Amino acid sequence: MTIVKGFKRLFVSEGGELQEVIEGHKMSLKRRCEHVTEGTHEAGSGTLLNKIYTELYITEGQSEEVDTQHEVRQLERTSKKNIQDTPIKCQDIFKVLSEQQRHIRVVLTNGVAGVGKTFSVQKFSLDWAEGLENQDISLVLPLSWRELNLIRDEQHSLLSLLHVFHPTLQKIRAEDLTVWKLLFIFDGLDESRFSLGFNKHQVISDVTQVSSVGVLLVNLIQGNLLPSALIWITSRPAAAYQIPPSCVDRITEVRGFTDSQKEEYFRRRFSDEDLSKRIISHIKASRSLHIMCLIPVFCWITAIVLEDMMTRDQRGELPKTLTDLYSHFLRVQIKRKKQKYGGKQRPEELTKADKKLLRKLGQLAFEHLEKGNIMFYSEDLERCGLDVSEVSVYSGVCTEIFKRESVIFQKSVCCFVHLSIQEFLAAVYMFHHYTIKNKGIMEELMKSLESENGHLDLFVRFLHGLSLESNRRILGGLLDQRNSRSETIQKVLNNLKEVNSDEISPDRSINIFHCLMEMKDQSVHQEIQEFLKSEKKSERELSEIHCSALAYLLQMSEEVLDELDLQLYKTSKEGRRRLIPAVRNCRKAVLWFCSLSEISCDSLASALRSNPSHLRELDLSGNQLKDPGVQQLCGFLQDPLCELETLRLKECSLSQTSCDSVASALKSNHSHLRVLDLSFNTLQDSGVERLCSRLESPNCKLERLRSVFIFLPIYQLLELCWLSEISCGSLASALRSNPSHLRVLDLSENQLKDSGVKLLCGFLHFPNCRLETLRLRSCRLSEISCGSLASALRSNPSHLRELDLGQNQLQDSGVKRLCSGLESPNCLVLTQITCRPAPYNLILHFLRLLYCSLSEISCGSLASALRSNPSHLRELDLSGNQLKDSGVKLLCGFLHFPNCRLETLG
């Protein structure tokens, strides 16, 4: 309100001159935003934005993971995201939507290439300029990164920067900027060629202070410069990491078209209803095409191809693979160029000049694909022997494929309409250099598989697809037709099926299956479909390529698996590893002894951040994950999307270092973890001490306050972890200091000794203790421990239901002490835990005293104790003791007792 009043007073004092500046800026912005171009930037080709704009599906929030996977893979995941996510309108991204949210200053909007981020920015700006939305904002100031790149080596103040990019604001003064409510829009962070140094830079707070452009932008985003200004940044996901999370108040994600919006697009584009129906039907029949049509630009590419093929006398089948579609797309552009500029050749024929130019474009596409660049400036074109004016002449090929931005200083900035066009032309260029002896193609495949982010995945798919003579024929002589013999193609297929990817991420390996599909080899796909229908799955042996195909199909299935057990599949260790991506679409995953390493943990972490995340139980026992692997896994436990409840890391070669990672995850407010098994790892006392130091934190809430979980047991399984009595002290301290949700504690096979149990029993006396199961098997205990436990059992209340003291030297004297606790009316010992509340008389009971050096004397003590207290005992295991006939006779006296409910006697 203060800003608005000050704004009005300022207008009065300036005699309305500044109001005229604002109105002039709105008119300029309206002219820039009211027309958009779809695929082509030729003069006069623009369409009114409001005529074609369809509300995009935008959601608030996203995974905290930086998703660097290839954007086609991201689209596949997006197609399965939770449709119940709450959408947010583009015009509302700076509005506080709930009481929990504070003032929103910086918004980061993510979305894959071509999904509609720039359209959203244009729509927001146009609505403001026309006075329809967000009129509380004084000035909306778009500054695209592609334009900012042109002056990245210059020195500017923020004021002069605005004067350069928005000439209508020349009369704006420094004091005006500090009073007005401004919105800076930085569109296309992924196109930036700045090195943004948020950790170390010059601090600037004056809008007239001159500095490098990069430093100005960092200070503006951090709030050092114009702290009241709003900031909106758009980016592809892989580049969003450049903005520190601490600087961002809201993250939104543009997901493109829903299924209904895809159909609306094609119906709106074609007046011929029958044609639109045929196109929609064909897209639905192809999984890959249907997924890609989430992107509006891909809908445009598909529409161009299918319209051309369906409205002429086409004899071949409609494209089903991406390589097929893009080959037809390039062919259509070649034909349009011929029709526009004329020539003696038939529309489909290419001159030497045409071929030369297209190969140069392919070189530009390939070299910058490897660098990760999607924007090209005049110097980039010159390095490939291209001239901007030369490229613009081939409008049918280049202007449609290229978007040409006329920006400040009349400099030209070029890019391909979509990243996939760049990848296709890069594949065309590389294929031109190969003679299809397959060595080069396989080298590119291995390079893509070894890539961490898979940025070459689609390029390699195209490269394999182009090996088919049918696809090369579509391109009308652009590629050599030699060496396309069937035996050569078969060799490529065989090589794909036998690729060894031991050191490669399972997610990367799936691209081998996609390469087969681009080569129209359906054999693996059909064999897996038959496998899924088979009733004897365990009898059929799967190759490694079968496992990659199965992983893809399972994770893309609409049906969520209840359990994925890799041991049930008859395959190699590498085959089981390739099945890991299917974890994304199951509730329980059992990955015992699958030779997994920290490489596999990276794939698992990515899978478990999926939206939606179905996984509730993950068993990784018996794998060489080591501490680095667990560190990666624990990162996902802190992700809001992760709802994992059970994590078993038994025998995973972990040390005390892993306890830090686990403790940090348990401390997180986002953790849903209920069951944790760290047994048979060398954690040692130092590891447990680290774990307990975090458990003492008031933020550690192992039991989430949700009714569906509130009665679930919590397990802390530390069996055979090389612990001593020191760990008992750490555990007792941690569990006393924080209201405890712990229900089951298994410390078997550790050297706790009597002194350790004494420390633990101090915790059992604590009023907040809810422990129901305590396992101390083979912990080098003597009769002294029985005295400590008896004292705990006499405490009021004692919640202990199951006590396992097997394989300890308790002797008769120990059992006698223990029985003194069992005789207490407060002792409701030995009740089995359940996942819902139930009366004790309906619940099982256990007492295990296996191999405890007992004699018949102990039987008398037990019978006496269990007769004196109304008994809940259901199971009594005394195996491995010297009870003899006389001992059993004493026990049988207890069995005669009217209150005896014993069901199992070991």
Side-chain angles (χ1 to χ4, degrees):
M1 182 62 72
T2 303
I3 293 176
V4 173
K5 288 181 179 179
F7 189 38
K8 290 180 179 179
R9 286 198 299 270
L10 190 60
F11 281 162
V12 173
S13 64
E14 296 297 326
E17 182 179 351
L18 289 179
Q19 182 64 45
E20 292 179 6
V21 172
I22 298 295
E23 293 303 321
H25 176 69
K26 284 190 172 184
M27 290 179 63
S28 173
L29 197 58
K30 180 181 177 181
R31 285 194 298 269
R32 288 177 58 178
C33 297
E34 65 182 350
H35 286 87
V36 294
T37 53
E38 191 181 30
T40 174
H41 271 220
E42 293 180 272
S45 64
T47 304
L48 286 173
L49 174 62
N50 285 331
K51 182 179 179 181
I52 68 167
Y53 183 79
T54 300
E55 191 73 39
L56 290 161
Y57 188 47
I58 306 174
T59 59
E60 181 174 15
Q62 70 163 28
S63 167
E64 293 179 1
E65 174 194 24
V66 176
D67 196 343
T68 60
Q69 299 301 307
H70 191 281
E71 293 190 346
V72 172
R73 296 288 297 120
Q74 294 180 45
L75 286 175
E76 290 169 347
R77 295 174 193 175
T78 299
S79 69
K80 286 180 59 60
K81 283 188 177 180
N82 195 341
I83 59 173
Q84 295 180 347
D85 287 343
T86 304
I88 179 173
K89 289 186 177 180
C90 166
Q91 307 298 344
D92 296 337
I93 61 170
F94 285 98
K95 295 178 181 177
V96 177
L97 303 179
S98 66
E99 296 179 356
Q100 288 75 28
Q101 291 176 329
R102 54 191 176 88
H103 170 68
I104 296 171
R105 190 182 75 87
V106 178
V107 174
L108 176 62
T109 295
N110 287 328
V112 299
V115 80
K117 301 183 295 296
T118 298
F119 264 42
S120 298
V121 166
Q122 284 187 248
K123 178 62 175 172
F124 185 101
S125 302
L126 180 61
D127 285 352
W128 175 81
E130 292 182 335
L132 301 177
E133 299 281 353
N134 292 290
Q135 294 305 291
D136 58 316
I137 297 175
S138 309
L139 279 178
V140 172
L141 303 165
L143 296 168
S144 74
W145 291 96
R146 65 179 62 168
E147 294 177 335
L148 290 167
N149 288 339
L150 296 169
I151 58 168
R152 62 183 182 276
D153 298 325
E154 298 180 13
Q155 298 280 312
H156 280 279
S157 68
L158 182 60
L159 185 62
S160 69
L161 196 69
L162 291 181
H163 290 166
V164 168
F165 284 94
H166 295 283
T168 55
L169 300 179
Q170 291 289 341
K171 295 182 180 180
I172 295 294
R173 303 164 305 178
E175 54 266 32
D176 301 331
L177 298 182
T178 59
V179 175
W180 292 349
K181 183 178 181 180
L182 309 178
L183 167 59
F184 291 87
I185 304 178
F186 298 105
D187 187 28
L189 176 63
D190 46 283
E191 300 168 354
S192 167
R193 295 194 178 184
F194 287 88
S195 297
L196 300 176
F198 281 89
N199 295 327
K200 187 178 181 181
H201 61 81
Q202 177 188 7
V203 176
I204 296 177
S205 58
D206 188 343
V207 296
T208 62
Q209 186 174 346
V210 175
S211 179
S212 67
V213 178
V215 169
L216 285 178
L217 299 178
V218 168
N219 277 279
L220 189 59
I221 294 170
Q222 284 186 327
N224 301 322
L225 192 57
L226 294 181
S228 63
L230 304 177
I231 310 293
W232 185 10
I233 304 167
T234 72
S235 175
R236 287 163 57 200
Y241 73 93
Q242 297 178 67
I243 308 299
S246 58
C247 294
V248 179
D249 300 305
R250 171 177 284 167
I251 294 178
T252 62
E253 181 180 7
V254 181
R255 297 190 183 174
F257 285 153
T258 62
D259 287 350
S260 60
Q261 288 169 339
K262 294 174 193 176
E263 297 183 20
E264 179 185 346
Y265 173 89
F266 290 107
R267 284 195 297 266
R268 188 184 68 242
R269 182 179 177 89
F270 302 111
S271 56
D272 186 336
E273 184 178 349
D274 180 63
L275 177 61
S276 64
K277 285 182 178 179
R278 290 166 62 199
I279 289 176
I280 291 169
S281 176
H282 179 71
I283 290 170
K284 285 183 175 180
S286 172
R287 178 73 175 173
S288 59
L289 299 188
H290 192 252
I291 289 173
M292 289 292 283
C293 278
L294 283 164
I295 303 177
V297 168
F298 189 83
C299 288
W300 170 77
I301 293 171
T302 305
I304 284 179
V305 172
L306 296 184
E307 179 185 23
D308 179 77
M309 296 186 72
M310 289 181 176
T311 55
R312 63 181 172 86
D313 184 19
Q314 68 98 14
R315 299 174 183 176
E317 65 175 354
L318 296 175
K320 295 180 180 178
T321 69
L322 293 180
T323 309
D324 199 353
L325 180 77
Y326 278 66
S327 298
H328 278 288
F329 174 75
L330 189 55
R331 178 189 171 282
V332 172
Q333 303 312 316
I334 293 170
K335 185 173 71 173
R336 289 187 176 185
K337 178 259 180 184
K338 297 288 186 181
Q339 291 171 342
K340 181 173 182 179
Y341 293 99
K344 297 180 180 179
Q345 300 83 18
R346 289 181 301 174
E348 293 80 4
E349 289 183 353
L350 289 175
T351 66
K352 289 184 179 179
D354 291 328
K355 294 178 183 179
K356 186 177 180 180
L357 176 64
L358 288 171
R359 288 164 184 164
K360 286 180 179 179
L361 283 173
Q363 179 185 355
L364 177 75
F366 177 75
E367 291 179 356
H368 287 271
L369 181 65
E370 287 198 314
K371 297 175 184 177
N373 295 336
I374 61 172
M375 302 302 301
F376 317 113
Y377 298 85
S378 56
E379 58 268 27
D380 299 321
L381 272 65
E382 290 168 4
R383 291 192 191 99
C384 295
L386 289 166
D387 181 80
V388 174
S389 59
E390 178 189 21
V391 169
S392 64
V393 172
Y394 288 84
S395 59
V397 177
C398 307
T399 311
E400 296 257 356
I401 294 177
F402 268 106
K403 288 191 294 186
R404 189 174 170 208
E405 302 290 339
S406 296
V407 291
I408 57 170
F409 317 126
Q410 300 301 308
K411 293 184 179 180
S412 293
V413 184
C414 300
C415 71
F416 295 101
V417 163
H418 189 253
L419 175 63
S420 57
I421 296 290
Q422 182 176 348
E423 292 166 308
F424 178 72
L425 283 178
V428 169
Y429 167 74
M430 288 305 293
F431 195 92
H432 175 65
H433 288 273
Y434 294 143
T435 59
I436 292 207
K437 290 182 179 177
N438 314 323
K439 181 179 178 182
I441 292 181
M442 292 307 296
E443 285 177 351
E444 292 300 327
L445 172 63
M446 296 310 297
K447 188 189 297 184
S448 77
L449 292 177
E450 293 166 2
S451 165
E452 289 186 6
N453 59 15
H455 70 294
L456 298 175
D457 279 5
L458 192 54
F459 158 73
V460 170
R461 291 191 208 178
F462 284 137
L463 198 57
H464 281 83
L466 288 172
S467 67
L468 292 183
E469 188 273 336
S470 59
N471 285 329
R472 296 202 305 280
R473 187 173 59 247
I474 295 169
L475 297 177
L478 180 61
L479 295 175
D480 197 338
Q481 298 295 318
R482 293 173 299 174
N483 298 310
S484 59
R485 297 185 303 272
S486 59
E487 61 268 22
T488 305
I489 302 300
Q490 190 59 49
K491 186 176 180 181
V492 176
L493 294 173
N494 292 339
N495 287 341
L496 280 174
K497 294 176 183 179
E498 296 170 5
V499 168
N500 185 346
S501 58
D502 289 353
E503 299 300 320
I504 296 168
S505 158
D507 277 312
R508 300 267 62 75
S509 299
I510 286 179
N511 204 45
I512 302 171
F513 170 64
H514 287 302
C515 290
L516 284 174
M517 299 299 287
E518 287 301 320
M519 294 185 72
K520 299 184 179 179
D521 183 317
Q522 298 287 331
S523 60
V524 172
H525 183 266
Q526 290 170 356
E527 288 163 5
I528 287 301
Q529 293 285 12
E530 292 172 3
F531 170 80
L532 291 172
K533 295 176 184 177
S534 172
E535 295 180 357
K536 299 180 179 180
K537 295 183 176 63
S538 60
E539 297 179 7
R540 298 188 61 174
E541 187 162 359
L542 299 177
S543 68
E544 292 170 6
I545 186 61
H546 281 133
C547 291
S548 288
L550 180 58
Y552 175 74
L553 293 178
L554 288 177
Q555 69 173 315
M556 295 305 296
S557 171
E558 296 298 328
E559 182 180 352
V560 180
L561 293 173
D562 286 330
E563 181 174 342
L564 174 68
D565 187 346
L566 298 193
Q567 292 296 333
L568 299 180
Y569 295 95
K570 190 177 181 181
T571 185
S572 64
K573 290 181 179 179
E574 170 58 20
R576 290 193 182 94
R577 204 175 66 85
R578 286 202 190 184
L579 285 167
I580 288 176
V583 168
R584 286 189 178 88
N585 201 32
C586 69
R587 296 183 179 90
K588 177 181 179 181
V590 180
L591 313 181
W592 294 345
F593 296 95
C594 289
S595 300
L596 308 185
S597 65
E598 53 263 42
I599 297 176
S600 305
C601 288
D602 184 51
S603 298
L604 281 168
S606 174
L608 292 161
R609 286 187 174 102
S610 299
N611 183 13
S613 177
H614 303 288
L615 198 66
R616 297 296 178 268
E617 182 173 346
L618 176 60
D619 192 337
L620 293 167
S621 301
N623 292 291
Q624 299 298 308
L625 305 183
K626 301 181 181 177
D627 297 323
V630 171
Q631 186 175 8
Q632 291 188 61
L633 283 175
C634 288
F636 82 76
L637 290 177
Q638 301 178 56
D639 194 293
L641 294 176
C642 174
E643 296 190 23
L644 195 70
E645 297 165 9
T646 299
L647 177 60
R648 302 190 190 280
L649 300 171
K650 187 176 181 178
E651 201 174 340
C652 287
S653 299
L654 310 183
S655 74
Q656 58 267 40
T657 305
S658 290
C659 292
D660 279 334
S661 304
V662 172
S664 179
L666 291 174
K667 184 180 178 181
S668 168
N669 285 331
H670 299 303
S671 176
H672 292 76
L673 204 62
R674 302 291 176 268
V675 179
L676 175 63
D677 189 344
L678 296 171
S679 304
F680 294 87
N681 290 292
T682 314
L683 305 183
Q684 301 182 330
D685 295 321
S686 56
V688 173
E689 186 176 1
R690 295 180 189 185
L691 189 64
C692 292
S693 67
R694 298 297 181 92
L695 293 178
E696 293 177 9
S697 168
N699 291 329
C700 179
K701 300 174 182 176
L702 290 177
E703 188 63 64
R704 306 282 288 186
L705 295 178
R706 293 167 65 184
S707 60
V708 70
F709 297 132
I710 197 165
F711 295 108
L712 283 178
I714 311 302
Y715 291 77
Q716 187 74 26
L717 303 178
L718 300 170
E719 184 177 1
L720 195 57
C721 291
W722 304 98
L723 311 183
S724 73
E725 60 268 34
I726 298 172
S727 294
C728 294
S730 302
L731 280 167
S733 174
L735 296 168
R736 276 198 306 267
S737 64
N738 192 15
S740 176
H741 303 279
L742 199 68
R743 300 293 180 271
V744 178
L745 180 59
D746 191 338
L747 294 168
S748 301
E749 306 286 347
N750 289 292
Q751 304 297 307
L752 305 183
K753 301 179 182 178
D754 297 322
S755 54
V757 172
K758 184 177 181 180
L759 291 168
L760 277 178
C761 288
F763 157 64
L764 295 177
H765 283 293
F766 197 65
N768 286 331
C769 174
R770 295 292 186 271
L771 196 69
E772 297 171 358
T773 298
L774 178 60
R775 299 190 180 110
L776 301 172
R777 187 180 67 256
S778 190
C779 288
R780 295 188 66 182
L781 310 183
S782 74
E783 64 269 26
I784 297 173
S785 292
C786 293
S788 303
L789 287 164
S791 177
L793 292 171
R794 284 194 296 267
S795 65
N796 187 12
S798 172
H799 296 272
L800 205 62
R801 304 291 175 263
E802 179 180 342
L803 179 60
D804 188 345
L805 296 171
Q807 297 177 327
N808 288 290
Q809 298 297 314
L810 304 183
Q811 302 181 343
D812 297 325
S813 55
V815 172
K816 185 176 182 180
R817 295 187 184 187
L818 186 65
C819 289
S820 68
L822 296 178
E823 293 175 358
S824 169
N826 291 327
C827 179
L828 296 175
V829 75
L830 314 177
T831 303
Q832 182 198 25
I833 51 175
T834 66
C835 292
R836 59 185 181 279
Y840 288 143
N841 64 344
L842 295 179
I843 303 177
L844 301 175
H845 307 62
F846 299 86
L847 177 60
R848 297 191 179 97
L849 298 170
L850 292 77
Y851 297 95
C852 288
S853 301
L854 310 183
S855 74
E856 62 268 33
I857 299 173
S858 294
C859 294
S861 302
L862 281 167
S864 175
L866 295 168
R867 276 199 304 268
S868 64
N869 187 14
S871 177
H872 302 277
L873 197 66
R874 296 294 181 271
E875 179 179 329
L876 176 61
D877 195 339
L878 294 167
S879 303
N881 293 290
Q882 300 297 313
L883 305 183
K884 302 180 181 179
D885 296 330
S886 54
V888 173
K889 184 177 181 180
L890 291 168
L891 278 178
C892 288
F894 158 63
L895 296 176
H896 285 293
F897 197 67
N899 288 332
C900 176
R901 297 291 186 271
L902 197 67
E903 298 172 357
T904 301
L905 178 62

